[in-house]
């Protein structure tokens, strides 16, 4: 049985925030780090962006914070101003129910006065870039005396950017006993040296790779921006021969939101998540087994152990946090030796996770392009042709319509082929083809712009462009089921025009700012 947040001894106000954010279970890095950090021990964790590492250190810090003491009790050092802001926002959202909690991001490029005022007012947590934290220590506006926990976030990035001496200087300012947590995607020797020098008997945390075989499932991924996910998903469902699909979302809110949007777009879809009780979940599983719905949008916990033969496709709408969940998710298709396809959406910020998964399954996952308009046209034409031929061969209800064609011919002198073409044109108007192609995200953007490690003072230079934003919980209305069997050609039935309200990915660029 997987660990829950309750098992992690987190306070009830933190549990409420996590519930509201739609977090269902701790990610592997959270499950391993939180208990150790709550015990006050040091950790050295190998974890990348996207694994949930921010909550892995923020939740135990918040659990131990003394709200009555308005003094810096934890300092988080981050390589960039954008990460500092993002981490500070994460603290704020987890601390939603901690009355009087204050966190201050302090980073280069921002006016000192703003930061001085925030520090003077009294803050419990400071999140900052190395240079600016150093400056505040030197000025005396930030004191190390009260600090109980120091977190080095993305330590290898700080090394690459040439900040490691500053980081050491900061660590030397806190001579008294305190807790240190080091998070780094990689562990080059200089980071290991820092760990040896400044960490006290740390617990080493690394998420174990899995060796499970994923056999014959055809695996692919699409590189995209977060706000393109819904459009790419519906285009993919349209061009693929899907009998039934499981779509995996990272949070309960997201699973509900995607299911609602699919319903609004005419698909027979339902959410399956930890907010539903056992009998509701069983009902949904029964529906997909019978074929009364064709898509479930699930979270990992809720989908555990689902065994439905009809599932031809698994779509990772949100990338899983580790290779083990990936293998578990895609194993929901290709049951009993049948063919199955697995697709994964990967934003540029999540490419590290993709590489990890590939390493663990010892297999390259093929990158594919978002479906094109030409592919959608071809699919619609194919489906329509098949449907028309079938109706002519089998339906006994065409009599009145034949009479209608004859009447139109008599009235207009048009040929039957023109009348048929006009009818098809009218059908397409009810469900128009998109007019714009979706361009795949360019994943290498960040690397090209990163350049050599050196100190940088000045304007942001661009960088990572995507981050998983918090679920918005927005729901869209609309019912009207669309089954793959009947109307997947997209010509039949009423369709609502639908404006995507997918949560916009925070398109912040990361910069060296100190
Ligand atoms: P991070 O690796 O800290 O940048 O987190 C990546 C994303 O995962 C963030 O958008 C978090 O809000 C989200 N996240 C973190 N922990 C969980 C969890 N246990 N369940 C669902 N989403 C999470």
């Amino acid at each position: 049985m997987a660990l829950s947040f309750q098992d992690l001894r987190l306070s009830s106000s933190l549990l409420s925030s996590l519930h509201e954010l739609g977090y269902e279970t701790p990610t592997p890095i959270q499950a391993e780090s939180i208990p150790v950090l709550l015990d006050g021990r040091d950790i050295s964790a190998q974890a990348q962006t996207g694994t949930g590492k921010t909550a892995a250190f923020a939740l135990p810090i918040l659990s131990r914070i003394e709200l009555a003491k308005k003094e810096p009790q934890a300092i988080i050092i981050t390589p960039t101003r954008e990460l500092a802001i993002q981490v500070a926002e994460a603290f704020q959202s987890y601390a939603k129910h901690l009355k009087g909690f204050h966190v201050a991001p302090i980073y280069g490029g921002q006016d000192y006065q703003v930061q001085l005022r925030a520090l003077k007012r009294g803050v419990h947590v400071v999140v900052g870039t190395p240079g600016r934290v150093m400056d505040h220590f030197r000025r005396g506006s930030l004191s190390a005396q009260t600090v109980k926990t120091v977190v080095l976030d993305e330590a290898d990035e700080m090394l690459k950017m040439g900040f490691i001496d500053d980081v050491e200087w900061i660590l030397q300012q806190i001579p008294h006993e305190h807790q240190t947590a080091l998070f780094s995607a990689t562990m080059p020797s200089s980071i290991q040296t820092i760990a040896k020098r400044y960490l006290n008997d740390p617990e080493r945390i690394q998420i174990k790779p899995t060796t499970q075989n994923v056999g014959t499932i055809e695996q692919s991924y699409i590189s995209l921006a977060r706000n393109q996910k819904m459009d790419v998903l519906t285009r993919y469902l349209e061009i693929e021969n899907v009998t039934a699909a499981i779509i995996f979302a990272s949070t309960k809110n997201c699973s509900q939101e995607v299911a609602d949007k699919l319903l609004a777009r005419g698909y027979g879809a339902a959410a399956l998540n930890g907010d539903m009780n056992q009998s509701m979940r069983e009902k949904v599983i029964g529906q997909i087994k019978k074929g009364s719905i064709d898509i479930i949008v699930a979270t990992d916990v809720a989908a555990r152990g689902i065994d439905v033969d009809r599932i031809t496709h698994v779509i990772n709408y949100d990338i899983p946090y580790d290779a083990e969940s990936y293998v578990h998710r895609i194993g929901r298709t290709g049951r009993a030796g049948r063919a199955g396809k697995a697709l994964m959406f990967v934003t540029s910020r999540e490419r590290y996770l993709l590489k990890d998964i590939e390493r663990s399954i010892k297999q390259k996952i093929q990158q594919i392009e978002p479906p094109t308009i030409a592919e959608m046209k071809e699919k619609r034409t194919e489906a329509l042709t098949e449907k028309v031929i079938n109706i002519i061969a089998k339906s006994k209800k065409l009599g009145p319509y034949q009479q209608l064609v004859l009447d139109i011919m008599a009235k207009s002198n048009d040929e039957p082929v023109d009348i048929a073409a006009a009818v098809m044109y009218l059908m397409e108007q009810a469900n128009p083809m998109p007019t714009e192609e979706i361009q795949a995200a360019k994943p290498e953007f960040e690397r090209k712009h990163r350049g050599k490690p050196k100190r940088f003072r000045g304007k942001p230079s661009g960088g990572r462009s995507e981050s998983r934003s918090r679920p918005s919980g927005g729901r869209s209305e609309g019912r009207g089921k669309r089954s793959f069997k009947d109307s997947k050609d997209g010509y039949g039935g009423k369709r609502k025009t639908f404006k995507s309200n997918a949560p916009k990915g925070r398109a912040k660029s990361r910069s060296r700012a100190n």
Side-chain angles (χ1 to χ4, degrees):
M1 191 60 201
L3 223 55
S4 71
F5 280 113
Q6 279 86 350
D7 297 329
L8 294 177
R9 295 178 284 129
L10 293 169
S11 68
S12 60
S13 47
L14 290 178
L15 292 177
S16 308
S17 308
L18 295 175
H19 181 75
E20 286 160 28
L21 285 168
Y23 291 10
E24 203 164 56
T25 42
T27 67
I29 189 74
Q30 291 163 4
E32 295 213 33
S33 309
I34 292 174
V36 184
L37 290 175
L38 280 175
D39 280 346
R41 292 191 51 206
D42 287 3
I43 63 166
S44 151
Q46 197 162 349
Q48 291 147 4
T49 309
T51 52
K53 66 179 168 57
T54 313
F57 60 77
L59 295 173
I61 288 176
L62 287 169
S63 284
R64 287 153 44 101
I65 218 91
E66 291 180 73
L67 284 172
K69 291 189 184 159
K70 277 194 162 184
E71 52 197 24
Q73 295 164 45
I75 294 190
I76 324 299
I77 315 284
T78 68
T80 64
R81 71 176 88 175
E82 284 75 19
L83 186 59
I85 294 168
Q86 202 174 303
V87 169
E89 283 174 356
F91 264 96
Q92 204 69 67
S93 66
Y94 300 138
K96 190 175 163 204
H97 300 290
L98 295 181
K99 260 207 144 61
F101 170 78
H102 287 292
V103 54
I106 58 173
Y107 47 84
Q110 194 191 35
D111 184 13
Y112 269 100
Q113 289 311 318
V114 178
Q115 298 173 2
L116 288 173
R117 269 200 301 275
L119 291 172
K120 228 182 188 152
R121 255 199 322 266
V123 294
H124 300 97
V125 174
V126 168
V127 190
T129 48
R132 195 48 80 95
V133 170
M134 260 173 96
D135 288 348
H136 280 285
F137 271 145
R138 284 208 181 105
R139 285 169 167 241
S141 41
L142 179 62
S143 158
Q145 296 307 314
T146 53
V147 172
K148 289 190 285 196
T149 303
V150 179
V151 178
L152 305 182
D153 194 9
E154 303 199 354
D156 52 350
E157 287 292 308
M158 297 202 265
L159 175 73
K160 275 190 217 161
M161 293 165 83
F163 298 152
I164 214 68
D165 293 344
D166 298 355
V167 170
E168 277 210 67
W169 186 91
I170 294 167
L171 291 173
Q172 285 159 7
Q173 307 312 302
I174 316 168
H176 60 271
E177 206 179 301
H178 64 277
Q179 176 180 52
T180 310
L182 180 146
F183 286 83
S184 198
T186 55
M187 287 287 172
S189 59
S190 350
I191 298 294
Q192 289 177 28
T193 309
I194 297 260
K196 257 193 223 116
R197 208 172 284 164
Y198 297 98
L199 269 55
N200 178 17
D201 185 25
E203 176 90 15
R204 277 172 233 287
I205 294 173
Q206 193 178 8
I207 305 308
K208 288 174 235 81
T210 174
T211 49
Q212 217 174 315
N213 185 15
V214 280
T216 53
I217 300 162
E218 194 183 318
Q219 302 168 62
S220 56
Y221 76 91
I222 294 179
S223 177
L224 40 51
R226 188 176 175 82
N227 60 2
Q228 294 175 318
K229 285 186 179 182
M230 198 63 208
D231 280 338
V232 174
L233 173 65
T234 45
R235 289 185 190 195
Y236 180 79
L237 291 174
E238 190 161 334
I239 65 157
E240 279 289 312
N241 289 322
V242 177
T243 305
I246 296 199
I247 299 170
F248 281 94
S250 62
T251 64
K252 291 180 274 194
N253 301 11
C254 181
S255 78
Q256 189 62 54
E257 200 177 307
V258 172
D260 286 347
K261 284 181 180 170
L262 287 173
L263 276 169
R265 291 179 184 208
Y267 289 96
L272 184 74
N273 62 42
D275 267 354
M276 299 158 65
N277 63 30
Q278 192 58 26
S279 75
M280 280 157 79
R281 288 197 221 174
E282 277 166 15
K283 190 172 151 212
V284 169
I285 295 169
Q287 284 174 326
I288 192 145
K289 271 192 176 154
K290 282 201 309 274
S292 53
I293 58 171
D294 299 321
I295 304 178
I296 49 183
V297 191
T299 53
D300 287 300
V301 195
R304 201 162 282 145
I306 286 186
D307 191 358
V308 180
D309 291 346
R310 290 181 67 232
I311 291 167
T312 48
H313 290 68
V314 169
I315 300 165
N316 293 278
Y317 190 85
D318 293 319
I319 194 166
Y321 293 105
D322 61 356
E324 211 160 319
S325 343
Y326 176 74
V327 170
H328 182 82
R329 285 179 177 190
I330 72 170
R332 301 306 99 207
T333 184
R335 313 294 288 172
R338 288 181 181 81
K341 279 191 175 184
L343 174 71
M344 179 155 60
F345 291 163
V346 181
T347 67
S348 50
R349 198 168 169 263
E350 294 162 346
R351 287 186 67 80
Y352 287 114
L353 289 170
L354 169 72
K355 296 285 164 230
D356 267 3
I357 292 171
E358 288 183 330
R359 253 195 307 278
S360 298
I361 61 172
K362 299 188 177 67
Q363 222 173 306
K364 265 227 125 4
I365 302 176
Q366 189 204 356
Q367 180 172 11
I368 59 169
E369 293 302 310
T372 61
I373 292 174
E375 283 172 307
M376 290 171 71
K377 271 193 182 139
E378 191 187 319
K379 197 72 199 178
R380 285 192 187 187
T381 308
E382 203 180 282
L384 180 67
T385 308
E386 197 179 314
K387 207 167 174 183
V388 169
I389 293 172
N390 261 334
I391 285 189
I392 295 173
K394 294 189 192 139
S395 176
K396 296 187 178 71
K397 295 179 183 162
L398 294 183
Y401 299 99
Q402 287 164 344
Q403 186 55 51
L404 193 58
V405 174
L406 291 172
D407 292 348
I408 296 173
M409 283 171 71
K411 208 170 184 175
S412 66
N413 264 340
D414 285 319
E415 296 295 319
V417 65
D418 294 323
I419 297 170
V423 172
M424 286 185 188
Y425 170 80
L426 287 174
M427 285 165 72
E428 195 183 58
Q429 295 308 294
N431 178 22
M433 283 293 297
T435 50
E436 276 181 42
E437 301 285 6
I438 297 179
Q439 303 298 332
K442 295 208 170 42
E444 297 311 320
F445 179 77
E446 171 201 355
R447 286 208 187 122
K448 267 193 260 156
H449 286 254
R450 192 165 265 162
K452 287 209 186 85
K454 59 177 189 252
R455 281 298 291 271
F456 177 90
R457 287 173 191 274
K459 280 192 190 150
S461 64
R464 296 187 194 183
S465 59
E466 258 291 323
S467 79
R468 271 195 214 205
S469 53
R470 255 164 248 118
S472 74
R475 292 189 183 177
S476 46
E477 81 298 353
R479 287 296 179 260
K481 180 178 147 212
R482 185 163 169 217
S483 137
F484 286 116
K485 279 171 291 190
D486 314 329
S487 57
K488 195 167 156 258
D489 56 81
Y491 284 91
K494 269 198 201 138
R495 251 171 82 102
K496 289 188 177 148
T497 42
F498 182 83
K499 209 162 167 240
S500 170
N501 64 349
K504 297 215 168 55
R506 267 188 260 151
K508 272 172 195 159
S509 65
R510 284 182 141 200
S511 57
R512 288 172 214 143
N514 244 303

